[in-house]
Amino acid sequence: AKRSPSAPHHHHHHHHQMLHLTTTQDVIQQGKCLCGEYIRARLKRSGLLNRKILQRLRNSIVPDGASAGVGSVGGGMMLIAGGGGAVVREAFPILNGMGIELERMHPRLYTNVSRQISNEPWGELTEPDTVGYLLHIVAKDLFKTGVTWGKVISLFAIAGGLAVDCVRQDHTDYLQQLIEGTTDVIEEDLAGWLVERGGWLGLQDHVYPQPAEITLTGWLTITIITLALLYLVSLFLKLIGSNYLNSEPIVAATTAASSTIGSTSSSISS
């Protein structure tokens, strides 16, 4: 059902009802569905989706024995309908749109993911559990400083990139582990945070109120600036330690480092 812009009050009320009804279990199950949907859409964008893979994805997110109907959203087939379907149907287009945006901004970051994070020479995924493990490592690193919607979307983009790797390396059988792995991350690192924000529909509040808010690049930029600052601090400590009496090198290092930071931030904003 399309929401008419003339009825904001009704929507708001509905959203608050959702706030109280969302449980951790809902958030995890819906997250699993969203992951399946995201991977489906990502594979489709890369021209890698076929019937067999579609069936595999559907089996991965629908509990055994439950035959779910298939809904269609914006012309693209959704894997599931019913159950948490309503939330998934509303949240998915937002999630997918922001994921596409993130992939567009950082194409190298979300392709050949397995090569970037595994120790194998060609990023070859060998054991079925590798793919879940790789995702787990990245997620632990991503969320150790807290959760933001930007990072949540990034997690899906990484899972999407890994899914592409799996299919390109003829390991469609790994897709299920990838979805399970993502679901575990949602359960361990995100469920509490999501419930506090009213579940996946909290994405709407994230997107609609301030479209100007720097959301996705925001945390990347912050990360890079933080790293640059840490680097500066370590330089200072080194210099102060070694040249306690001689003050000139500190000045030189400061100008060098600040020009580095300048070029870093300008390359981000470009």
Side-chain angles (χ1 to χ4, degrees):
K2 284 260 185 288
R3 236 188 274 115
S4 67
S6 57
H9 180 75
H10 163 73
H11 160 236
H12 203 241
H13 175 66
H14 163 76
H15 190 64
H16 275 283
Q17 266 179 317
M18 291 298 306
L19 276 177
H20 302 300
L21 298 177
T22 302
T23 66
T24 311
Q25 219 33 58
D26 290 339
V27 163
I28 295 166
Q29 186 51 42
Q30 290 157 4
K32 188 177 196 177
C33 295
L34 284 167
C35 179
E37 298 294 355
Y38 192 92
I39 287 174
R40 173 193 60 77
R42 178 76 174 79
L43 291 174
K44 191 168 184 222
R45 285 201 288 283
S46 304
L48 295 169
L49 195 62
N50 60 35
R51 251 224 197 82
K52 194 180 105 187
I53 292 174
L54 204 55
Q55 194 50 54
R56 211 176 259 286
L57 289 173
R58 199 167 285 145
N59 294 345
S60 302
I61 61 173
V62 176
D64 297 330
S67 67
V70 180
S72 116
V73 165
M77 293 298 276
M78 289 286 273
L79 298 166
I80 55 133
V87 170
V88 173
R89 272 198 298 277
E90 273 197 58
F92 179 67
I94 303 172
L95 179 69
N96 195 43
M98 294 177 92
I100 291 173
E101 183 62 20
L102 197 55
E103 288 164 16
R104 198 178 56 76
M105 281 165 24
H106 309 280
R108 287 206 305 277
L109 204 57
Y110 299 107
T111 47
N112 288 325
V113 177
S114 60
R115 187 177 303 174
Q116 293 178 58
I117 53 185
S118 81
N119 296 319
E120 300 301 323
W122 309 112
E124 189 67 51
L125 297 161
T126 43
E127 301 297 316
D129 55 352
T130 327
V131 66
Y133 179 63
L134 287 181
L135 191 85
H136 186 79
I137 295 174
V138 174
K140 280 284 164 266
D141 201 46
L142 191 60
F143 298 120
K144 70 173 176 230
T145 50
V147 183
T148 63
W149 281 116
K151 290 186 190 183
V152 171
I153 292 153
S154 183
L155 174 72
F156 280 85
I158 292 165
L162 280 169
V164 169
D165 291 341
C166 288
V167 175
R168 288 211 169 119
Q169 296 175 20
D170 280 332
H171 285 305
T172 43
D173 49 322
Y174 290 4
L175 291 173
Q176 179 155 10
Q177 278 93 338
L178 181 56
I179 293 176
E180 298 294 341
T182 312
T183 309
D184 289 344
V185 171
I186 292 169
E187 186 168 352
E188 288 170 33
D189 299 313
L190 307 181
W193 185 87
L194 284 162
V195 168
E196 279 171 26
R197 278 152 192 77
W200 293 100
L201 290 182
L203 263 172
Q204 293 172 324
D205 297 340
H206 171 64
V207 185
Y208 296 129
Q210 314 103 343
E213 186 196 0
I214 50 153
T215 43
L216 299 173
T217 40
W219 64 268
L220 276 174
T221 312
I222 288 162
T223 310
I224 290 169
I225 288 172
T226 310
L227 288 173
L229 285 175
L230 286 175
Y231 174 66
L232 251 188
V233 170
S234 69
L235 264 189
F236 268 117
L237 293 178
K238 264 196 199 116
L239 284 166
I240 290 168
S242 58
N243 304 321
Y244 192 64
L245 299 170
N246 179 359
S247 63
E248 283 162 340
I250 296 184
V251 182
T254 315
T255 43
S258 54
S259 67
T260 319
I261 286 200
S263 61
T264 312
S265 36
S266 63
S267 68
I268 294 169
S269 51
S270 64

